Amino acid sequence: MYLYLPVALTSIHVLIPIGLGLVVGLLSGLFGVGGGFLMTPLLIMLGIPATVAAATDSNQIVAASTSGTYAHWKVGNVDFKMGLYLLAGGFLGGLVGVQAIKVLRAMGNADFVIKMTYVLMLGIVGTYMFIESLSIMKKKPTEEIKTDNENKIGIFLKRIPMQTRFEKSGVTHSALVPIVLGGFVGILAAIMGVGGGFLMVPVMVYILRMPMHVVVGTSLFQILFTCIEVTFLQAYTNHNVDFILAVLLLLGSTLGAQVGVVFGRRLKAEQLKILLACIVLAVTVKIIFELTLSPSILLAQAGGH
Amino acid sequence: MKNFRFLILILFLLFADKAFAELTVDANHSHIKIDFFYHGSIVTISGQSDQNADLIIKVSSPEGHQGFKKKGKAAGFLWMNKGELNFEHAPNLYFLHSTKRLEEILSPEEADANTIGYSALGNHIKITPVSDENEKTKWFEEFVKFKESSRLYANSSGNISLTQKNSGQDFSIKFDWPYEAPHGDYIVTVYAAQNGRIIEQAETNVSVEQAGLVKALADMARDNGALYGLISIAIALGAGFGVGLVFRKGGGAH
């Protein structure tokens, strides 16, 4: 059965967005990422205009992350306090990031800088997570997870004033730390035009030292609010949220998120991390291919990425 | 003497004109409604013409501006968006069907004068910024490739079916109307050609309109963005919570 999408101005078979939503929702329930890096390019491939694809995806993530946050919250895996601090930082970072894009555009070559930042970030984060979780999985029996590296960063973080306890995560940090880190991710996310879940998750795991399962729940909680804001702004200023497409996507993604949470509970933290690392690396490889292979058509609709 | 010859010529043309069967054209589906289940349509263009005439059917949307991002190599080997390209006087949709290959039935000048065929369209559309004619040709070809891949441009010869009659010929062509073509008015022009020149032309319209829920949602997204955004968010939150609740109940059952 085909439905017509009133804002994207195209027709689509209903099973395609539902299936796509299911896959991306599964990823978001498992890893606490929004999945925009996967969804937006796939929607564009299906003939949805780039701007509508990005805006509608954020509407869909609202549903998937509500579903995922709710499931994680039931099992005590959402650190609301940490989430709110990160969110405050992310909001400020987003404002800075939007200005940064303007400066980059004025300097010319903006697309080059943005693409390179994106590939480097993905590559570094993916490789680091992969190697780190692999080495932990190898020395399974012992629990000597604490490394020198952690101590150095840990000692530095302990010196910052305004130390406060994050009960759910079982960590103590200065309130400034999540705000600054959230801000940093917010800046990058705004510049790269992505939600930033794949950056936020490693930051929470490796710098804030939060347990993996709490990271996933808290990341979803955080993404929920970011995407509510983005959806509203896109609908209000750019008029490019497609309601019908969003509903089809969320039919799949809300279910997928629940399944993801159930699966996630059966996996160990290291297994989750190494899977996420593989996905991030796969996306990196895909982007490198896109950058180096000659495209079949040298024109793209203006207004997208 | 010159004037006299000219008069004869005019009289001859007037007389000759009478001998032609008048060119007519009609679209079977002149009002296409885009409703919730719309997946494109099928349109038949038909009419009558003089027996000896070759025919060209052009379907196009009004001309306008179209903006694109062009891809190019950065740092020698990385493909990315490198600047914008503007196309002026470019129709969003352009279908051209002829009884024979265009070069056989129309002189290039005549084709240019009526914007018939890709080559004439290429001369008609203004592309900025391009440095020279070669670059313009290259980007026009990319433009056509882009449009054909979205099924908005098409080009064929020999697909118009003709039935000969005593007084003239009936012509008709049936083709898919792509769902990628947005709502709007489209102009169908039929040209009758002889000896490389257009001797007659006739016009009709195909109008595509949004209807029902599609129209309501599209209007709301455009005119009432804030409310539209809030409803979209509310539905997403509701769906997320709803599914969460259902799963909790389902989970408790076993």
Side-chain angles (χ1 to χ4, degrees):
Chain A
M1 185 178 74
Y2 289 92
L3 288 187
Y4 190 78
L5 309 175
V7 174
L9 301 179
T10 188
S11 166
I12 199 166
H13 195 285
V14 290
L15 291 181
I16 295 171
I18 292 176
L20 215 58
L22 209 60
V23 174
V24 173
L26 187 79
L27 292 184
S28 95
L30 261 178
F31 305 117
V33 296
F37 60 86
L38 194 68
M39 182 72 96
T40 310
L42 285 173
L43 289 177
I44 295 170
M45 258 169 60
L46 291 170
I48 314 288
T51 46
V52 179
T56 306
D57 186 34
S58 58
N59 189 12
Q60 172 276 130
I61 296 174
V62 171
S65 56
T66 304
S67 172
T69 305
Y70 184 75
H72 277 283
W73 169 72
K74 279 184 308 192
V75 288
N77 278 343
V78 182
D79 189 333
F80 288 104
K81 187 177 171 185
M82 183 67 90
L84 289 173
Y85 279 123
L86 288 168
L87 203 57
F91 180 73
L92 295 174
L95 294 179
V96 175
V98 171
Q99 294 307 312
I101 296 179
K102 280 189 191 157
V103 174
L104 279 174
R105 293 236 184 277
M107 281 161 52
N109 237 355
D111 283 316
F112 184 75
V113 177
I114 291 169
K115 277 269 167 153
M116 286 298 111
T117 320
Y118 196 27
V119 173
L120 279 177
M121 276 292 160
L122 282 173
I124 292 169
V125 167
T127 312
Y128 180 78
M129 280 182 88
F130 187 82
I131 294 173
E132 193 265 356
S133 35
L134 197 67
S135 69
I136 290 180
M137 282 168 92
K138 274 183 185 163
K139 48 181 178 185
K140 244 181 265 168
T142 52
E143 281 192 22
E144 322 156 36
I145 307 170
K146 293 197 191 309
T147 60
D148 291 348
N149 208 356
E150 188 214 343
N151 287 337
K152 273 182 213 153
I153 297 175
I155 289 164
F156 172 71
L157 291 180
K158 290 280 173 292
R159 289 210 192 118
I160 303 171
M162 293 172 70
Q163 293 286 327
T164 175
R165 178 84 184 151
F166 293 93
E167 217 47 70
K168 272 269 154 48
S169 307
V171 294
T172 304
H173 285 296
S174 162
L176 293 173
V177 173
I179 293 178
V180 170
L181 290 174
F184 175 68
V185 173
I187 292 173
L188 285 175
I191 291 178
M192 298 183 294
V194 293
F198 74 92
L199 285 175
M200 193 59 99
V201 169
V203 161
M204 283 192 265
V205 173
Y206 295 112
I207 302 180
L208 296 174
R209 294 279 149 187
M210 292 162 62
M212 185 63 189
H213 288 92
V214 181
V215 165
V216 175
T218 309
S219 173
L220 284 176
F221 170 71
Q222 214 244 141
I223 285 172
L224 166 61
F225 285 92
T226 314
C227 285
I228 288 178
E229 188 199 348
V230 173
T231 305
F232 183 76
L233 289 179
Q234 289 278 19
Y236 184 62
T237 52
N238 299 329
H239 313 285
N240 49 20
V241 173
D242 195 296
F243 182 74
I244 301 292
L245 180 59
V247 167
L248 292 174
L249 291 169
L250 69 81
L251 282 176
S253 71
T254 47
L255 273 175
Q258 294 289 331
V259 176
V261 174
V262 172
F263 264 127
R265 264 185 265 161
R266 303 204 176 140
L267 293 174
K268 293 201 188 86
E270 283 67 44
Q271 292 171 318
L272 274 178
K273 275 192 257 175
I274 208 159
L275 277 175
L276 179 58
C278 289
I279 292 173
V280 170
L281 286 175
V283 173
T284 315
V285 171
K286 185 202 136 226
I287 295 175
I288 290 173
F289 269 120
E290 269 174 12
L291 285 173
T292 48
L293 296 180
S294 299
S296 59
I297 296 178
L298 295 177
L299 286 175
Q301 207 83 58
H305 270 284
Chain B
M1 192 65 187
K2 250 187 178 176
N3 282 342
F4 182 67
R5 262 196 217 159
F6 189 63
L7 197 64
I8 289 203
L9 186 69
I10 288 187
L11 281 174
F12 174 75
L13 279 176
L14 279 176
F15 181 68
D17 228 349
K18 288 264 153 62
F20 292 132
E22 206 182 339
L23 185 66
T24 63
V25 62
D26 194 27
N28 74 321
H29 222 143
S30 55
H31 287 276
I32 297 175
K33 289 235 183 301
I34 298 184
D35 60 12
F36 199 43
F37 299 104
Y38 179 69
H39 190 61
S41 187
I42 292 170
V43 169
T44 305
I45 308 281
S46 58
Q48 278 147 19
S49 78
D50 181 64
Q51 221 152 18
N52 303 316
D54 287 310
L55 298 172
I56 301 155
I57 299 175
K58 177 168 94 176
V59 185
S60 76
S61 58
E63 294 174 1
H65 164 265
Q66 299 194 42
F68 286 91
K69 288 187 169 180
K70 58 175 176 180
K71 292 186 179 150
K73 280 184 184 175
F77 67 105
L78 297 170
W79 287 95
M80 50 185 68
N81 292 329
K82 291 197 81 182
E84 305 208 328
L85 215 51
N86 293 298
F87 291 72
E88 309 294 341
H89 316 301
N92 182 41
L93 178 141
Y94 186 90
F95 295 158
L96 196 88
H97 303 292
S98 49
T99 46
K100 290 182 196 145
R101 288 178 57 231
L102 218 49
E103 307 85 87
E104 295 171 26
I105 50 180
L106 217 54
S107 71
E109 298 77 36
E110 194 77 344
D112 277 344
N114 294 283
T115 332
I116 295 173
Y118 283 166
S119 141
L121 194 61
N123 296 332
H124 180 72
I125 293 177
K126 195 166 157 256
I127 307 175
T128 50
V130 285
S131 54
D132 56 27
E133 208 50 38
N134 283 342
E135 208 189 332
K136 187 188 167 182
T137 310
K138 174 194 154 193
W139 286 116
F140 178 71
E141 281 169 9
E142 286 297 326
F143 172 75
V144 170
K145 230 195 306 181
F146 181 92
K147 287 288 181 187
E148 284 185 341
S149 75
S150 349
R151 305 197 303 156
L152 291 171
Y153 274 36
N155 189 7
S156 85
S157 63
N159 290 333
I160 300 175
S161 65
L162 299 169
T163 318
Q164 302 301 327
K165 285 184 167 178
N166 291 337
S167 55
Q169 62 184 353
D170 286 350
F171 67 86
S172 95
I173 183 165
K174 189 170 159 184
F175 54 88
D176 286 338
W177 185 266
Y179 58 77
E180 287 92 337
H183 53 283
D185 288 325
Y186 296 86
I187 307 147
V188 179
T189 317
V190 176
Y191 301 92
Q194 234 168 20
N195 303 325
R197 307 205 64 81
I198 289 167
I199 48 170
E200 218 180 344
Q201 69 183 68
E203 217 176 81
T204 183
N205 283 304
V206 171
S207 84
V208 181
E209 309 170 340
Q210 294 180 326
L213 184 62
V214 169
K215 185 168 165 50
L217 284 171
D219 287 352
M220 190 179 178
R222 192 187 57 234
D223 304 332
N224 210 339
L227 183 62
Y228 181 85
L230 290 176
I231 292 176
S232 303
I233 293 166
I235 299 269
L237 285 171
F241 257 121
V243 170
L245 281 172
V246 167
F247 258 71
R248 181 161 74 166
K249 281 175 188 155
H254 59 78

